[in-house]
Each structure stands twice: as structure tokens, then as C-alpha cells.
Amino acid sequence: MIRLNCFVSVSAENKAAALEAAKALTACSLKQDGCVAYDTFVSATREEVFMICETWRDKDALAAHSASAEFKKYVGDIEQLAQLKIEQFEF
């Protein structure tokens, strides 16, 4: 399995829009083949940070997700509003 932790740093003025895009991405991703888990978490200690945590069955499922129209749209929206840092783990 593959786990991605996507940390999103966003200004207060862009936070609501970035979170809406992340929630929409989460809803779409949960329906994709090979998605084991997908959620968006808001930091309890840092106002400007939230995280998208995702787990995929394998590299093929993650590649299909990354190529999807929903991924391109919502990640593109988030990238215009915030900065992303991604950690990837295989287990």
C-alpha cells in the first residue's frame, strides 16, 4: 500500500476555498478503485495548515487517481490557493 500525507499551508483569506476543494477531492477519491482511505484533517494547533491523508492499494491505483480529471481540477485549485508538501510512504 501507499500512503501520502499532503500538508497544505494556506493564508486565512484562502483557507475556506482550499478546504472546499480538498473536501470535494476527498469525496471523489473515496469512490475510486484502489482507494483504501482518504480524508482531510485541519490542524488543531496551526491555523494555516491542513492535511490530506490518503492510502492507495498500489502504484497503479495511485497513478489512475493522479491522472483523473477530478484530481487535476481540485489539486490545481488548491495549488493556486496554497502551498503543498507531500510525504509518500510504501508499506
Side-chain angles (χ1 to χ4, degrees):
M1 282 194 268
I2 301 171
R3 161 70 55 86
L4 279 83
N5 295 326
C6 306
F7 295 93
V8 182
S9 297
V10 62
S11 66
E13 63 204 32
N14 291 335
K15 186 174 181 179
L19 271 171
E20 284 306 310
K23 290 176 186 179
L25 176 63
T26 298
C28 294
S29 300
L30 285 167
K31 298 174 187 173
Q32 293 178 343
D33 183 46
C35 181
V36 175
Y38 210 104
D39 209 341
T40 300
F41 300 93
V42 177
S43 175
T45 58
R46 296 176 57 202
E47 291 282 324
E48 76 283 0
V49 174
F50 68 88
M51 182 178 85
I52 301 168
C53 183
E54 50 189 280
T55 305
W56 295 93
R57 178 184 59 228
D58 55 30
K59 290 180 182 182
D60 291 338
L62 177 58
H65 166 65
S66 299
S68 72
E70 296 89 0
F71 176 89
K72 291 176 184 177
K73 182 207 179 333
Y74 294 121
V75 171
D77 291 348
I78 296 168
E79 287 177 329
Q80 289 186 357
L81 298 165
Q83 298 213 332
L84 282 79
K85 177 186 171 195
I86 300 172
E87 299 175 342
Q88 181 171 327
F89 308 93
E90 292 189 38
F91 57 100

